[in-house]
Amino acid sequence: QVQLQESGPGLVKPSQTLSLTCTVSGGSISSIGYYWSWVRQLPGKGLEWIGYVYYSGSAYYSPSLKSRVAISIDTSQNQFSLRLSSVTAADTAVYYCARSASGTYGLKVDYWGQGTLVTVSS
Amino acid sequence: DIQMTQSPSSLSASVGDRVTITCRASQSISSYLNWYQQKPGKAPKLLIYAASSLQTGVPSRFSGSGSGTDFTLTISSLRPEDFATYYCQQTYTSPSITFGQGTRLEIK
């Protein structure tokens, strides 16, 4: 059973960089066909896709966040990470890490972390 | 970006009811459509992928249909644990992936 766990600061100051790490257990982050993803949910709102990374290190981002986002992977630690720069209060959200499986009709998110609330405030 | 529009935004129903939620894409996405269920304070859970394929472990009362721009999620007979918020998701234009705004299913 694959499990994912987010970790990182729960409070970030405006204009700084939000950094989160996701630790994967119960499976290898180097498995073929899986993309390691980040999704966020603003308070009381819907889901927003951030991006994903493959074990090779290739990363893909949502166009709306692309200029501020970097997702990286550390296969030796079975972890992947999110960095979001120049944050504002509008980036306050629950951040989920997740595993996306590739199939005939695109990706499906089959495993999720529990989510971590990140608040942007001075 | 492809816009995903769900209807209704909220819905009241009773245990045992048959419920249908609709998701419409702003352009054709073939069958690149997933459905998720989310309960308060919890991560979403995958129900249906590729428009109509039931994820392993999901009860058979859940079903999905559609292709192109119009999709539906149907719950054949509501159970108490089904009251939650449901989201559709298109992955046709990955990495520009978008979700619908959600449908909140409440107990009548």
PDB file of all heavy atoms in Angstrom, chain A residues 16-55:
ATOM      1  N   GLN A  16       8.237  35.290   0.268  1.00  0.00           N
ATOM      2  CA  GLN A  16       9.213  34.222   0.456  1.00  0.00           C
ATOM      3  C   GLN A  16       8.843  32.997  -0.376  1.00  0.00           C
ATOM      4  O   GLN A  16       7.873  33.009  -1.140  1.00  0.00           O
ATOM      5  CB  GLN A  16       9.345  33.883   1.943  1.00  0.00           C
ATOM      6  CG  GLN A  16       9.959  35.025   2.753  1.00  0.00           C
ATOM      7  CD  GLN A  16      10.335  34.593   4.162  1.00  0.00           C
ATOM      8  OE1 GLN A  16       9.860  33.581   4.682  1.00  0.00           O
ATOM      9  NE2 GLN A  16      11.190  35.395   4.808  1.00  0.00           N
ATOM     10  N   THR A  17       9.640  31.943  -0.214  1.00  0.00           N
ATOM     11  CA  THR A  17       9.433  30.718  -0.983  1.00  0.00           C
ATOM     12  C   THR A  17       8.853  29.615  -0.107  1.00  0.00           C
ATOM     13  O   THR A  17       9.388  29.325   0.971  1.00  0.00           O
ATOM     14  CB  THR A  17      10.750  30.244  -1.618  1.00  0.00           C
ATOM     15  OG1 THR A  17      11.198  31.231  -2.559  1.00  0.00           O
ATOM     16  CG2 THR A  17      10.574  28.905  -2.333  1.00  0.00           C
ATOM     17  N   LEU A  18       7.761  29.049  -0.564  1.00  0.00           N
ATOM     18  CA  LEU A  18       7.127  27.916   0.103  1.00  0.00           C
ATOM     19  C   LEU A  18       7.859  26.657  -0.331  1.00  0.00           C
ATOM     20  O   LEU A  18       8.075  26.444  -1.545  1.00  0.00           O
ATOM     21  CB  LEU A  18       5.652  27.878  -0.326  1.00  0.00           C
ATOM     22  CG  LEU A  18       4.701  26.785   0.144  1.00  0.00           C
ATOM     23  CD1 LEU A  18       3.246  27.276  -0.026  1.00  0.00           C
ATOM     24  CD2 LEU A  18       4.880  25.487  -0.602  1.00  0.00           C
ATOM     25  N   SER A  19       8.252  25.826   0.638  1.00  0.00           N
ATOM     26  CA  SER A  19       8.956  24.570   0.320  1.00  0.00           C
ATOM     27  C   SER A  19       8.304  23.416   1.068  1.00  0.00           C
ATOM     28  O   SER A  19       8.179  23.464   2.292  1.00  0.00           O
ATOM     29  CB  SER A  19      10.431  24.668   0.715  1.00  0.00           C
ATOM     30  OG  SER A  19      11.107  25.638  -0.048  1.00  0.00           O
ATOM     31  N   LEU A  20       7.910  22.402   0.332  1.00  0.00           N
ATOM     32  CA  LEU A  20       7.314  21.201   0.904  1.00  0.00           C
ATOM     33  C   LEU A  20       7.989  19.965   0.334  1.00  0.00           C
ATOM     34  O   LEU A  20       8.426  19.969  -0.813  1.00  0.00           O
ATOM     35  CB  LEU A  20       5.816  21.136   0.604  1.00  0.00           C
ATOM     36  CG  LEU A  20       4.923  22.202   1.208  1.00  0.00           C
ATOM     37  CD1 LEU A  20       3.500  22.078   0.671  1.00  0.00           C
ATOM     38  CD2 LEU A  20       4.921  22.134   2.729  1.00  0.00           C
ATOM     39  N   THR A  21       8.045  18.925   1.157  1.00  0.00           N
ATOM     40  CA  THR A  21       8.600  17.644   0.730  1.00  0.00           C
ATOM     41  C   THR A  21       7.545  16.566   0.932  1.00  0.00           C
ATOM     42  O   THR A  21       6.773  16.612   1.891  1.00  0.00           O
ATOM     43  CB  THR A  21       9.867  17.308   1.523  1.00  0.00           C
ATOM     44  OG1 THR A  21      10.870  18.277   1.216  1.00  0.00           O
ATOM     45  CG2 THR A  21      10.390  15.924   1.189  1.00  0.00           C
ATOM     46  N   CYS A  22       7.517  15.627   0.029  1.00  0.00           N
ATOM     47  CA  CYS A  22       6.615  14.482   0.125  1.00  0.00           C
ATOM     48  C   CYS A  22       7.443  13.209   0.207  1.00  0.00           C
ATOM     49  O   CYS A  22       8.275  12.942  -0.688  1.00  0.00           O
ATOM     50  CB  CYS A  22       5.688  14.433  -1.074  1.00  0.00           C
ATOM     51  SG  CYS A  22       4.458  13.106  -1.008  1.00  0.00           S
ATOM     52  N   THR A  23       7.248  12.454   1.263  1.00  0.00           N
ATOM     53  CA  THR A  23       7.955  11.188   1.441  1.00  0.00           C
ATOM     54  C   THR A  23       7.021  10.045   1.064  1.00  0.00           C
ATOM     55  O   THR A  23       5.893   9.961   1.576  1.00  0.00           O
ATOM     56  CB  THR A  23       8.432  11.025   2.883  1.00  0.00           C
ATOM     57  OG1 THR A  23       9.307  12.119   3.201  1.00  0.00           O
ATOM     58  CG2 THR A  23       9.166   9.714   3.069  1.00  0.00           C
ATOM     59  N   VAL A  24       7.500   9.193   0.190  1.00  0.00           N
ATOM     60  CA  VAL A  24       6.712   8.070  -0.315  1.00  0.00           C
ATOM     61  C   VAL A  24       7.176   6.782   0.358  1.00  0.00           C
ATOM     62  O   VAL A  24       8.375   6.511   0.437  1.00  0.00           O
ATOM     63  CB  VAL A  24       6.862   7.952  -1.846  1.00  0.00           C
ATOM     64  CG1 VAL A  24       6.072   6.759  -2.371  1.00  0.00           C
ATOM     65  CG2 VAL A  24       6.429   9.241  -2.530  1.00  0.00           C
ATOM     66  N   SER A  25       6.226   6.010   0.855  1.00  0.00           N
ATOM     67  CA  SER A  25       6.542   4.710   1.430  1.00  0.00           C
ATOM     68  C   SER A  25       5.629   3.653   0.827  1.00  0.00           C
ATOM     69  O   SER A  25       4.577   3.963   0.280  1.00  0.00           O
ATOM     70  CB  SER A  25       6.391   4.741   2.950  1.00  0.00           C
ATOM     71  OG  SER A  25       5.076   5.111   3.307  1.00  0.00           O
ATOM     72  N   GLY A  26       6.073   2.408   0.913  1.00  0.00           N
ATOM     73  CA  GLY A  26       5.272   1.310   0.384  1.00  0.00           C
ATOM     74  C   GLY A  26       5.416   1.108  -1.107  1.00  0.00           C
ATOM     75  O   GLY A  26       4.674   0.310  -1.695  1.00  0.00           O
ATOM     76  N   GLY A  27       6.319   1.816  -1.729  1.00  0.00           N
ATOM     77  CA  GLY A  27       6.549   1.675  -3.163  1.00  0.00           C
ATOM     78  C   GLY A  27       7.703   2.551  -3.589  1.00  0.00           C
ATOM     79  O   GLY A  27       8.071   3.496  -2.883  1.00  0.00           O
ATOM     80  N   SER A  28       8.282   2.245  -4.740  1.00  0.00           N
ATOM     81  CA  SER A  28       9.437   3.002  -5.218  1.00  0.00           C
ATOM     82  C   SER A  28       9.003   4.200  -6.057  1.00  0.00           C
ATOM     83  O   SER A  28       8.162   4.087  -6.955  1.00  0.00           O
ATOM     84  CB  SER A  28      10.338   2.104  -6.067  1.00  0.00           C
ATOM     85  OG  SER A  28      11.367   2.868  -6.656  1.00  0.00           O
ATOM     86  N   ILE A  29       9.610   5.324  -5.760  1.00  0.00           N
ATOM     87  CA  ILE A  29       9.341   6.545  -6.525  1.00  0.00           C
ATOM     88  C   ILE A  29       9.927   6.442  -7.932  1.00  0.00           C
ATOM     89  O   ILE A  29       9.622   7.264  -8.796  1.00  0.00           O
ATOM     90  CB  ILE A  29       9.879   7.773  -5.758  1.00  0.00           C
ATOM     91  CG1 ILE A  29       9.118   9.039  -6.136  1.00  0.00           C
ATOM     92  CG2 ILE A  29      11.380   7.927  -5.959  1.00  0.00           C
ATOM     93  CD1 ILE A  29       9.399  10.215  -5.233  1.00  0.00           C
ATOM     94  N   SER A  30      10.751   5.433  -8.163  1.00  0.00           N
ATOM     95  CA  SER A  30      11.378   5.235  -9.479  1.00  0.00           C
ATOM     96  C   SER A  30      10.579   4.302 -10.383  1.00  0.00           C
ATOM     97  O   SER A  30      11.034   3.953 -11.479  1.00  0.00           O
ATOM     98  CB  SER A  30      12.787   4.665  -9.301  1.00  0.00           C
ATOM     99  OG  SER A  30      13.608   5.568  -8.586  1.00  0.00           O
ATOM    100  N   SER A  31       9.410   3.883  -9.933  1.00  0.00           N
ATOM    101  CA  SER A  31       8.581   2.983 -10.740  1.00  0.00           C
ATOM    102  C   SER A  31       8.153   3.656 -12.029  1.00  0.00           C
ATOM    103  O   SER A  31       7.756   4.834 -12.026  1.00  0.00           O
ATOM    104  CB  SER A  31       7.350   2.543  -9.948  1.00  0.00           C
ATOM    105  OG  SER A  31       7.712   1.810  -8.805  1.00  0.00           O
ATOM    106  N   ILE A  32       8.193   2.906 -13.100  1.00  0.00           N
ATOM    107  CA  ILE A  32       7.816   3.442 -14.409  1.00  0.00           C
ATOM    108  C   ILE A  32       6.301   3.639 -14.481  1.00  0.00           C
ATOM    109  O   ILE A  32       5.526   2.814 -13.995  1.00  0.00           O
ATOM    110  CB  ILE A  32       8.303   2.481 -15.510  1.00  0.00           C
ATOM    111  CG1 ILE A  32       9.830   2.469 -15.546  1.00  0.00           C
ATOM    112  CG2 ILE A  32       7.724   2.851 -16.868  1.00  0.00           C
ATOM    113  CD1 ILE A  32      10.415   1.433 -16.465  1.00  0.00           C
ATOM    114  N   GLY A  33       5.906   4.745 -15.110  1.00  0.00           N
ATOM    115  CA  GLY A  33       4.481   4.973 -15.340  1.00  0.00           C
ATOM    116  C   GLY A  33       3.779   5.796 -14.282  1.00  0.00           C
ATOM    117  O   GLY A  33       2.578   6.020 -14.376  1.00  0.00           O
ATOM    118  N   TYR A  34       4.524   6.251 -13.297  1.00  0.00           N
ATOM    119  CA  TYR A  34       3.920   7.056 -12.241  1.00  0.00           C
ATOM    120  C   TYR A  34       4.532   8.448 -12.216  1.00  0.00           C
ATOM    121  O   TYR A  34       5.745   8.605 -12.328  1.00  0.00           O
ATOM    122  CB  TYR A  34       4.088   6.386 -10.876  1.00  0.00           C
ATOM    123  CG  TYR A  34       3.378   5.059 -10.785  1.00  0.00           C
ATOM    124  CD1 TYR A  34       4.095   3.863 -10.757  1.00  0.00           C
ATOM    125  CD2 TYR A  34       1.986   4.998 -10.751  1.00  0.00           C
ATOM    126  CE1 TYR A  34       3.442   2.646 -10.697  1.00  0.00           C
ATOM    127  CE2 TYR A  34       1.321   3.782 -10.690  1.00  0.00           C
ATOM    128  CZ  TYR A  34       2.053   2.611 -10.662  1.00  0.00           C
ATOM    129  OH  TYR A  34       1.408   1.402 -10.618  1.00  0.00           O
ATOM    130  N   TYR A  35       3.677   9.434 -12.060  1.00  0.00           N
ATOM    131  CA  TYR A  35       4.089  10.825 -11.992  1.00  0.00           C
ATOM    132  C   TYR A  35       3.745  11.357 -10.614  1.00  0.00           C
ATOM    133  O   TYR A  35       2.621  11.199 -10.147  1.00  0.00           O
ATOM    134  CB  TYR A  35       3.388  11.640 -13.085  1.00  0.00           C
ATOM    135  CG  TYR A  35       3.830  11.245 -14.477  1.00  0.00           C
ATOM    136  CD1 TYR A  35       3.346  10.086 -15.083  1.00  0.00           C
ATOM    137  CD2 TYR A  35       4.760  12.006 -15.171  1.00  0.00           C
ATOM    138  CE1 TYR A  35       3.770   9.709 -16.348  1.00  0.00           C
ATOM    139  CE2 TYR A  35       5.187  11.637 -16.445  1.00  0.00           C
ATOM    140  CZ  TYR A  35       4.688  10.487 -17.017  1.00  0.00           C
ATOM    141  OH  TYR A  35       5.115  10.108 -18.261  1.00  0.00           O
ATOM    142  N   TRP A  36       4.696  11.996  -9.998  1.00  0.00           N
ATOM    143  CA  TRP A  36       4.563  12.426  -8.610  1.00  0.00           C
ATOM    144  C   TRP A  36       4.128  13.892  -8.617  1.00  0.00           C
ATOM    145  O   TRP A  36       4.824  14.761  -9.131  1.00  0.00           O
ATOM    146  CB  TRP A  36       5.875  12.162  -7.888  1.00  0.00           C
ATOM    147  CG  TRP A  36       6.195  10.709  -8.013  1.00  0.00           C
ATOM    148  CD1 TRP A  36       6.997  10.103  -8.956  1.00  0.00           C
ATOM    149  CD2 TRP A  36       5.622   9.639  -7.233  1.00  0.00           C
ATOM    150  NE1 TRP A  36       6.973   8.731  -8.797  1.00  0.00           N
ATOM    151  CE2 TRP A  36       6.149   8.424  -7.740  1.00  0.00           C
ATOM    152  CE3 TRP A  36       4.742   9.578  -6.146  1.00  0.00           C
ATOM    153  CZ2 TRP A  36       5.810   7.185  -7.200  1.00  0.00           C
ATOM    154  CZ3 TRP A  36       4.413   8.350  -5.617  1.00  0.00           C
ATOM    155  CH2 TRP A  36       4.947   7.169  -6.143  1.00  0.00           C
ATOM    156  N   SER A  37       2.975  14.133  -8.000  1.00  0.00           N
ATOM    157  CA  SER A  37       2.202  15.337  -8.283  1.00  0.00           C
ATOM    158  C   SER A  37       1.947  16.189  -7.046  1.00  0.00           C
ATOM    159  O   SER A  37       1.992  15.702  -5.916  1.00  0.00           O
ATOM    160  CB  SER A  37       0.851  14.922  -8.874  1.00  0.00           C
ATOM    161  OG  SER A  37       1.015  13.992  -9.933  1.00  0.00           O
ATOM    162  N   TRP A  38       1.656  17.452  -7.313  1.00  0.00           N
ATOM    163  CA  TRP A  38       1.207  18.371  -6.269  1.00  0.00           C
ATOM    164  C   TRP A  38      -0.107  19.014  -6.707  1.00  0.00           C
ATOM    165  O   TRP A  38      -0.243  19.471  -7.858  1.00  0.00           O
ATOM    166  CB  TRP A  38       2.247  19.458  -6.005  1.00  0.00           C
ATOM    167  CG  TRP A  38       3.484  18.961  -5.328  1.00  0.00           C
ATOM    168  CD1 TRP A  38       4.662  18.587  -5.915  1.00  0.00           C
ATOM    169  CD2 TRP A  38       3.658  18.762  -3.918  1.00  0.00           C
ATOM    170  NE1 TRP A  38       5.556  18.163  -4.970  1.00  0.00           N
ATOM    171  CE2 TRP A  38       4.980  18.267  -3.726  1.00  0.00           C
ATOM    172  CE3 TRP A  38       2.860  18.954  -2.783  1.00  0.00           C
ATOM    173  CZ2 TRP A  38       5.502  17.958  -2.465  1.00  0.00           C
ATOM    174  CZ3 TRP A  38       3.375  18.650  -1.534  1.00  0.00           C
ATOM    175  CH2 TRP A  38       4.676  18.163  -1.382  1.00  0.00           C
ATOM    176  N   VAL A  39      -1.049  19.045  -5.769  1.00  0.00           N
ATOM    177  CA  VAL A  39      -2.362  19.659  -5.963  1.00  0.00           C
ATOM    178  C   VAL A  39      -2.645  20.514  -4.740  1.00  0.00           C
ATOM    179  O   VAL A  39      -2.257  20.149  -3.628  1.00  0.00           O
ATOM    180  CB  VAL A  39      -3.464  18.578  -6.110  1.00  0.00           C
ATOM    181  CG1 VAL A  39      -4.844  19.216  -6.296  1.00  0.00           C
ATOM    182  CG2 VAL A  39      -3.151  17.634  -7.270  1.00  0.00           C
ATOM    183  N   ARG A  40      -3.319  21.636  -4.920  1.00  0.00           N
ATOM    184  CA  ARG A  40      -3.663  22.446  -3.755  1.00  0.00           C
ATOM    185  C   ARG A  40      -5.139  22.764  -3.736  1.00  0.00           C
ATOM    186  O   ARG A  40      -5.839  22.661  -4.751  1.00  0.00           O
ATOM    187  CB  ARG A  40      -2.826  23.716  -3.695  1.00  0.00           C
ATOM    188  CG  ARG A  40      -3.147  24.761  -4.746  1.00  0.00           C
ATOM    189  CD  ARG A  40      -2.233  25.979  -4.566  1.00  0.00           C
ATOM    190  NE  ARG A  40      -2.555  27.048  -5.509  1.00  0.00           N
ATOM    191  CZ  ARG A  40      -1.926  28.227  -5.525  1.00  0.00           C
ATOM    192  NH1 ARG A  40      -0.942  28.485  -4.663  1.00  0.00           N
ATOM    193  NH2 ARG A  40      -2.288  29.144  -6.406  1.00  0.00           N
ATOM    194  N   GLN A  41      -5.599  23.146  -2.554  1.00  0.00           N
ATOM    195  CA  GLN A  41      -7.011  23.482  -2.367  1.00  0.00           C
ATOM    196  C   GLN A  41      -7.076  24.724  -1.486  1.00  0.00           C
ATOM    197  O   GLN A  41      -6.739  24.665  -0.293  1.00  0.00           O
ATOM    198  CB  GLN A  41      -7.760  22.317  -1.726  1.00  0.00           C
ATOM    199  CG  GLN A  41      -9.255  22.505  -1.650  1.00  0.00           C
ATOM    200  CD  GLN A  41      -9.970  21.203  -1.346  1.00  0.00           C
ATOM    201  OE1 GLN A  41      -9.461  20.328  -0.644  1.00  0.00           O
ATOM    202  NE2 GLN A  41     -11.182  21.042  -1.892  1.00  0.00           N
ATOM    203  N   LEU A  42      -7.515  25.819  -2.078  1.00  0.00           N
ATOM    204  CA  LEU A  42      -7.670  27.050  -1.316  1.00  0.00           C
ATOM    205  C   LEU A  42      -8.795  26.872  -0.308  1.00  0.00           C
ATOM    206  O   LEU A  42      -9.721  26.089  -0.535  1.00  0.00           O
ATOM    207  CB  LEU A  42      -7.958  28.225  -2.260  1.00  0.00           C
ATOM    208  CG  LEU A  42      -6.732  28.841  -2.951  1.00  0.00           C
ATOM    209  CD1 LEU A  42      -5.975  27.858  -3.813  1.00  0.00           C
ATOM    210  CD2 LEU A  42      -7.135  30.062  -3.764  1.00  0.00           C
ATOM    211  N   PRO A  43      -8.752  27.590   0.799  1.00  0.00           N
ATOM    212  CA  PRO A  43      -9.731  27.383   1.865  1.00  0.00           C
ATOM    213  C   PRO A  43     -11.174  27.478   1.378  1.00  0.00           C
ATOM    214  O   PRO A  43     -11.565  28.480   0.776  1.00  0.00           O
ATOM    215  CB  PRO A  43      -9.402  28.518   2.847  1.00  0.00           C
ATOM    216  CG  PRO A  43      -7.956  28.801   2.634  1.00  0.00           C
ATOM    217  CD  PRO A  43      -7.725  28.593   1.176  1.00  0.00           C
ATOM    218  N   GLY A  44     -11.913  26.414   1.566  1.00  0.00           N
ATOM    219  CA  GLY A  44     -13.314  26.402   1.177  1.00  0.00           C
ATOM    220  C   GLY A  44     -13.559  26.371  -0.316  1.00  0.00           C
ATOM    221  O   GLY A  44     -14.700  26.541  -0.762  1.00  0.00           O
ATOM    222  N   LYS A  45     -12.509  26.105  -1.081  1.00  0.00           N
ATOM    223  CA  LYS A  45     -12.621  26.145  -2.538  1.00  0.00           C
ATOM    224  C   LYS A  45     -12.315  24.788  -3.154  1.00  0.00           C
ATOM    225  O   LYS A  45     -12.118  23.791  -2.457  1.00  0.00           O
ATOM    226  CB  LYS A  45     -11.648  27.197  -3.096  1.00  0.00           C
ATOM    227  CG  LYS A  45     -11.873  28.602  -2.573  1.00  0.00           C
ATOM    228  CD  LYS A  45     -13.212  29.153  -2.986  1.00  0.00           C
ATOM    229  CE  LYS A  45     -13.373  30.589  -2.540  1.00  0.00           C
ATOM    230  NZ  LYS A  45     -14.711  31.133  -2.882  1.00  0.00           N
ATOM    231  N   GLY A  46     -12.241  24.793  -4.486  1.00  0.00           N
ATOM    232  CA  GLY A  46     -11.993  23.565  -5.220  1.00  0.00           C
ATOM    233  C   GLY A  46     -10.512  23.243  -5.343  1.00  0.00           C
ATOM    234  O   GLY A  46      -9.651  23.856  -4.721  1.00  0.00           O
ATOM    235  N   LEU A  47     -10.231  22.251  -6.169  1.00  0.00           N
ATOM    236  CA  LEU A  47      -8.886  21.721  -6.335  1.00  0.00           C
ATOM    237  C   LEU A  47      -8.161  22.419  -7.489  1.00  0.00           C
ATOM    238  O   LEU A  47      -8.761  22.691  -8.532  1.00  0.00           O
ATOM    239  CB  LEU A  47      -8.975  20.217  -6.614  1.00  0.00           C
ATOM    240  CG  LEU A  47      -9.646  19.399  -5.513  1.00  0.00           C
ATOM    241  CD1 LEU A  47     -10.028  18.021  -6.021  1.00  0.00           C
ATOM    242  CD2 LEU A  47      -8.728  19.293  -4.297  1.00  0.00           C
ATOM    243  N   GLU A  48      -6.854  22.650  -7.293  1.00  0.00           N
ATOM    244  CA  GLU A  48      -6.032  23.282  -8.334  1.00  0.00           C
ATOM    245  C   GLU A  48      -4.783  22.439  -8.561  1.00  0.00           C
ATOM    246  O   GLU A  48      -4.043  22.152  -7.631  1.00  0.00           O
ATOM    247  CB  GLU A  48      -5.640  24.704  -7.940  1.00  0.00           C
ATOM    248  CG  GLU A  48      -4.792  25.413  -8.986  1.00  0.00           C
ATOM    249  CD  GLU A  48      -4.401  26.819  -8.597  1.00  0.00           C
ATOM    250  OE1 GLU A  48      -4.478  27.163  -7.411  1.00  0.00           O
ATOM    251  OE2 GLU A  48      -3.998  27.588  -9.490  1.00  0.00           O
ATOM    252  N   TRP A  49      -4.563  22.078  -9.809  1.00  0.00           N
ATOM    253  CA  TRP A  49      -3.394  21.282 -10.168  1.00  0.00           C
ATOM    254  C   TRP A  49      -2.156  22.181 -10.204  1.00  0.00           C
ATOM    255  O   TRP A  49      -2.189  23.256 -10.775  1.00  0.00           O
ATOM    256  CB  TRP A  49      -3.606  20.661 -11.542  1.00  0.00           C
ATOM    257  CG  TRP A  49      -2.585  19.643 -11.891  1.00  0.00           C
ATOM    258  CD1 TRP A  49      -1.428  19.820 -12.596  1.00  0.00           C
ATOM    259  CD2 TRP A  49      -2.624  18.261 -11.537  1.00  0.00           C
ATOM    260  NE1 TRP A  49      -0.755  18.630 -12.703  1.00  0.00           N
ATOM    261  CE2 TRP A  49      -1.460  17.661 -12.067  1.00  0.00           C
ATOM    262  CE3 TRP A  49      -3.529  17.480 -10.812  1.00  0.00           C
ATOM    263  CZ2 TRP A  49      -1.193  16.313 -11.886  1.00  0.00           C
ATOM    264  CZ3 TRP A  49      -3.261  16.142 -10.651  1.00  0.00           C
ATOM    265  CH2 TRP A  49      -2.103  15.565 -11.186  1.00  0.00           C
ATOM    266  N   ILE A  50      -1.048  21.727  -9.608  1.00  0.00           N
ATOM    267  CA  ILE A  50       0.190  22.501  -9.607  1.00  0.00           C
ATOM    268  C   ILE A  50       1.184  21.948 -10.631  1.00  0.00           C
ATOM    269  O   ILE A  50       1.748  22.693 -11.438  1.00  0.00           O
ATOM    270  CB  ILE A  50       0.832  22.508  -8.204  1.00  0.00           C
ATOM    271  CG1 ILE A  50      -0.119  23.160  -7.188  1.00  0.00           C
ATOM    272  CG2 ILE A  50       2.181  23.221  -8.243  1.00  0.00           C
ATOM    273  CD1 ILE A  50       0.347  23.054  -5.744  1.00  0.00           C
ATOM    274  N   GLY A  51       1.433  20.653 -10.594  1.00  0.00           N
ATOM    275  CA  GLY A  51       2.370  20.043 -11.530  1.00  0.00           C
ATOM    276  C   GLY A  51       2.800  18.670 -11.082  1.00  0.00           C
ATOM    277  O   GLY A  51       2.295  18.149 -10.079  1.00  0.00           O
ATOM    278  N   TYR A  52       3.735  18.075 -11.855  1.00  0.00           N
ATOM    279  CA  TYR A  52       4.204  16.734 -11.510  1.00  0.00           C
ATOM    280  C   TYR A  52       5.614  16.515 -12.039  1.00  0.00           C
ATOM    281  O   TYR A  52       6.088  17.250 -12.916  1.00  0.00           O
ATOM    282  CB  TYR A  52       3.254  15.662 -12.037  1.00  0.00           C
ATOM    283  CG  TYR A  52       2.861  15.769 -13.497  1.00  0.00           C
ATOM    284  CD1 TYR A  52       3.663  15.251 -14.504  1.00  0.00           C
ATOM    285  CD2 TYR A  52       1.658  16.369 -13.858  1.00  0.00           C
ATOM    286  CE1 TYR A  52       3.293  15.337 -15.836  1.00  0.00           C
ATOM    287  CE2 TYR A  52       1.276  16.455 -15.191  1.00  0.00           C
ATOM    288  CZ  TYR A  52       2.085  15.938 -16.170  1.00  0.00           C
ATOM    289  OH  TYR A  52       1.722  16.020 -17.490  1.00  0.00           O
ATOM    290  N   VAL A  53       6.244  15.489 -11.475  1.00  0.00           N
ATOM    291  CA  VAL A  53       7.616  15.150 -11.853  1.00  0.00           C
ATOM    292  C   VAL A  53       7.707  13.651 -12.067  1.00  0.00           C
ATOM    293  O   VAL A  53       7.016  12.865 -11.404  1.00  0.00           O
ATOM    294  CB  VAL A  53       8.600  15.635 -10.760  1.00  0.00           C
ATOM    295  CG1 VAL A  53       8.376  14.907  -9.440  1.00  0.00           C
ATOM    296  CG2 VAL A  53      10.052  15.510 -11.208  1.00  0.00           C
ATOM    297  N   TYR A  54       8.526  13.256 -13.017  1.00  0.00           N
ATOM    298  CA  TYR A  54       8.771  11.844 -13.288  1.00  0.00           C
ATOM    299  C   TYR A  54      10.075  11.447 -12.612  1.00  0.00           C
ATOM    300  O   TYR A  54      10.890  12.305 -12.259  1.00  0.00           O
ATOM    301  CB  TYR A  54       8.840  11.616 -14.796  1.00  0.00           C
ATOM    302  CG  TYR A  54       8.650  10.198 -15.239  1.00  0.00           C
ATOM    303  CD1 TYR A  54       7.598   9.433 -14.761  1.00  0.00           C
ATOM    304  CD2 TYR A  54       9.522   9.597 -16.170  1.00  0.00           C
ATOM    305  CE1 TYR A  54       7.405   8.126 -15.188  1.00  0.00           C
ATOM    306  CE2 TYR A  54       9.346   8.296 -16.592  1.00  0.00           C
ATOM    307  CZ  TYR A  54       8.284   7.566 -16.097  1.00  0.00           C
ATOM    308  OH  TYR A  54       8.096   6.277 -16.521  1.00  0.00           O
ATOM    309  N   TYR A  55      10.306  10.143 -12.460  1.00  0.00           N
ATOM    310  CA  TYR A  55      11.499   9.696 -11.747  1.00  0.00           C
ATOM    311  C   TYR A  55      12.785  10.160 -12.440  1.00  0.00           C
ATOM    312  O   TYR A  55      13.831  10.290 -11.808  1.00  0.00           O
ATOM    313  CB  TYR A  55      11.487   8.173 -11.584  1.00  0.00           C
ATOM    314  CG  TYR A  55      11.873   7.407 -12.819  1.00  0.00           C
ATOM    315  CD1 TYR A  55      13.195   7.020 -13.024  1.00  0.00           C
ATOM    316  CD2 TYR A  55      10.931   7.066 -13.782  1.00  0.00           C
ATOM    317  CE1 TYR A  55      13.565   6.318 -14.154  1.00  0.00           C
ATOM    318  CE2 TYR A  55      11.289   6.363 -14.923  1.00  0.00           C
ATOM    319  CZ  TYR A  55      12.605   5.987 -15.104  1.00  0.00           C
ATOM    320  OH  TYR A  55      12.955   5.297 -16.238  1.00  0.00           O
TER     321      TYR A  55
END
